[in-house]
Amino acid sequence: MKTILKISISAFMLIVVSIHSNAQLETGSLLIKGGTVLTVTKGTLESTDVLVRDGKIAQIGKNITAPAGVKVIEAAGKFVMPGIIDAHSHAALSAINEATSPVTAEVWTGDVLDPFAISIYHALGGGVTTIHAMHGSANAIGGECETIKLRYGTKDADALRMEGAPRTIKFALGENPTRVHGGGNNIVPRTRMGVEFVIREAFSKAKEYGAAWDKYNIAKTQKNFRGAPPTYSKRLETLSEILKGNIIIHCHSYRADEIYMLLKVCEEFGVKRLVFQHVNEGFKVAPELAKYGAMASVFADWWAYKFEVYYSTAYNAAILTKNGVVTSINSDDAELMRHLYHEAGKTQKYGALTDDEALSLITLNPAKQLGIDSRVGSLEVGKEGDIAIFSAHPLSIYAIPMITIVDGIVRFDREKDPDDERIYVDPKEPLDAAFYESDKSYIDNCMKDAEETFYSLFELN
Amino acid sequence: MKNTFRQSGCKIILVALLANLHIMTFAQDVRILPAVSRSYAITQVTVFQGPGRKVDGGTILIKDGLITAVGKGLTIPPDATIIKGDSLYVYAGFIDGLSRIGVTKQKEEVPKEKAKDPGNPSNEQAGTTPYIDVRNLLNPIDKPIEEFRALGFTVAQVVPYGGMMAGSGAIVRLDGNAADKMVIKPKSAFYAEFANAERVYPNTILGIMAKWKELYKQASLTKSYSSVYASNRSGIESPTTDRVLESFYPVIDKQEPVLFKGEKNLDIQRILSLKSQLGFNVQVAEIKEGWDLITKLNAAGSKVFLSLELPEEKKPNAKTDKEKEKDDLLIVPDSVELKALQKRTDDFTAKYVGQAAAFNKANVPFGFSGLSVKSKDVIPNLRRMIKAGLSEDAALAALTINAAQALGLSDRLGTLDAGKVANIVISHKPYFDEKAKVKYVFIDGKIFETGPPVVDKSDKDKKSEKP
């Protein structure tokens, strides 16, 4: 009798636990049958099934029988790959740049997530499942960023977060911060030297700040302590967390000299977790990056949109990869994000990367750069059920993304593609069946909000 | 005092003044006797004491600003001014949860030239002025006060104009009296909205969220150190005094709620996120897109004020020539695409209009706020909400007792019961009736006869207040 009671109690508790976790995060189960499975880490498996249960990959193999109630997706003749990860995006955010100060480490894009952004759905339509929703590049030290999963359809901003993903922060070198603050407001930084100074000064202050708080926290434990706490600063607190190794730097950069400069500054302050973004001249300092363990997230072949971005090559990703730098290809753009698989394919033309190397650029490697590679980035048992199904090999120019799955839930299905993906509709918005947008492709996407504030206002153009 | 003489009926006023009584002002030539006592009897009326509590042919007695009795067959005191209310309908005075009527706009502080260091603006530039007290900005003869009073509003929670933390609000009577005498509850709330600063920090919602968290933590630290210092000042540094941080102290102590304007769904999500991180008590007001957040708002213990503004109803062929021209360029009239888009717009308009009914259906109490509504739209919008499924009782509750409860004043306001303040609306038809018109309004036992609502000027004023 007692045993029965115990069993039923534990069964009851199990149910309670699963309900509780479901309330926090919606997950699904499904079986993908008979596709060509591109695991990225464990080779390519022909006519293989992938079983996802409660949001996690439970089994990969042949002739898996669908458990009762689990939906089956027939994928014979199709290609099944890990969901694409974009290490540089500004989608799903209500604001991108707090461009009013050269250092704004206290702001956080996780505060301004927008689950209603249609760009989430568009990205899913390109097989993307996880993005790094970043602060812009107007400031030498911008804000903290948020790694999100594209759980399109949710109305809850918190439900977009990839819970447990490491903290990251945006830095920016070169023309953007010098133009906004030096050119726009006549304050430091006006030059690349100034950018270095701003970062060094910020780190130095953060070091003092962290020490002051450590001292206070120790003193506080003593009996009859009545001293004043140091003045709280969210900015310096965040910066001191970088110095403690708790936040990964993602630094917008183009030129080799400035990239090498930040390597040196980070080395001096003991900061090890460092990813360079754009890094068009990364090929010039690839061995130095590899030696430091710094990573690189690049465009496949996008450059010449401003002076500092002329010295570039489509071989950049391949050169970095061959030098042992963990490299990814990013979009920085809601449209480019929809064909990152094409962007990865370009490295086979320019640099002859293998299929797995090329696919790693948009899956496992960006996962490493975001510190989430133990959870996503390849198709392995135990990893999260984020999967993209393509009509042909994703590195083929003929590939079309068919189905995109996040946590075992189908979030995009080409067969059931709605005409109007807006989740919320503003009744005051005028009705337009067509939509004009002026060509602003010459402007760096990282500069949204900042361009508006500073460009038009102070006529910087 | 001079201002009252602008109105007609000077003689009546003089009498009232001599008696040291409340001042009555009439827009029209009215045949109400001057108040020789503060005693009134409203007789033979249909009394809605509260939602669902109706008395036919009842009488209400008022003395010294309070309701002394409500019911049938009451003895009318000999000193009472009698208002014969045959066929009139009587309600408790309405309460507006968030408004700027009667509030003077401060001078624009934004300099024309760009700031020297946009990262370090003054409090005025940044919009972090929680130390401003709306009581210093009250204008009792502001035109919209009269307009809203004519709709039956007797009390409003008003807040200063400004940025992300504009200042403290106050609950005031809409009785056109001297500024200080209007105030029922000073510092009723710490008012906040997601209003970014111009050209300086915080220029985006990113900066506003960070600023909230930083100031709150700074205030908590300064507050606790100040109390250490106050207990024994010897041997330790004196704490810095800071007007901004000190304004947070009653919020941290939960003596003062944060009154947050949260129109859109995402605004409300962000408010609730700040609330859960920082722990303050919150009133979310001017809600327009709240239908998906009813459970969340309720779970957070938030007080709720729904906006009285609604999107306009679809008016076919009401387009300007310019719009028509654009349409010709872009869309085939009556195309499948256009019809589908129109349907989604209509569906969402229906959600806005049905919001109050949805809150009521979920048993989540709410009041209303009139921050952005034009006075002429208030009654039509209430009728639209009722047509969309809100019961008249629920609408009345929102206008009266629920708002009083949310503001912590239900012991004094919100129903017609003996002992409560005599804030009363008298309508010549049931209030939500198509042809209803408010005839008299009592505020604190003082009678106002209301003319037809004047709208022209308020429309202009209201426009300037929109973001």
Side-chain angles (χ1 to χ4, degrees), chain A residues 98 155 226 234 422 424, chain B residues 204 214 232 269 292 344:
Chain A
E98 178 56 57
K155 295 168 182 170
R226 301 174 66 240
K234 198 167 185 327
R422 290 175 299 170
Y424 258 57
Chain B
T204 61
E214 178 166 274
N232 177 4
Q269 291 198 41
D292 283 322
R344 289 217 73 198

Side-chain angles (χ1 to χ4, degrees), chain A residues 94 97-98 100 106 111-114 155 157 184-185 226 228 232 234 420 422-425 431 433 458, chain B residues 114 118-119 201 203-204 207 209 213-214 218 225 232 234 265-266 269-270 292 331 341-342 344-345 348:
Chain A
S94 296
N97 270 298
E98 178 56 57
T100 46
E106 71 279 13
D111 276 334
V112 302
L113 298 178
D114 178 4
K155 295 168 182 170
N185 294 324
R226 301 174 66 240
Y232 174 75
K234 198 167 185 327
D420 185 349
R422 290 175 299 170
I423 296 172
Y424 258 57
V425 175
L431 291 182
F458 304 128
Chain B
K114 68 183 185 193
Y201 190 93
N203 184 237
T204 61
M209 294 296 279
K213 293 184 223 177
E214 178 166 274
Q218 284 179 345
Y225 183 63
N232 177 4
S234 171
N265 177 305
L266 286 179
Q269 291 198 41
R270 285 162 193 162
D292 283 322
I331 21 186
L341 288 169
Q342 184 64 56
R344 289 217 73 198
T345 299
F348 267 78

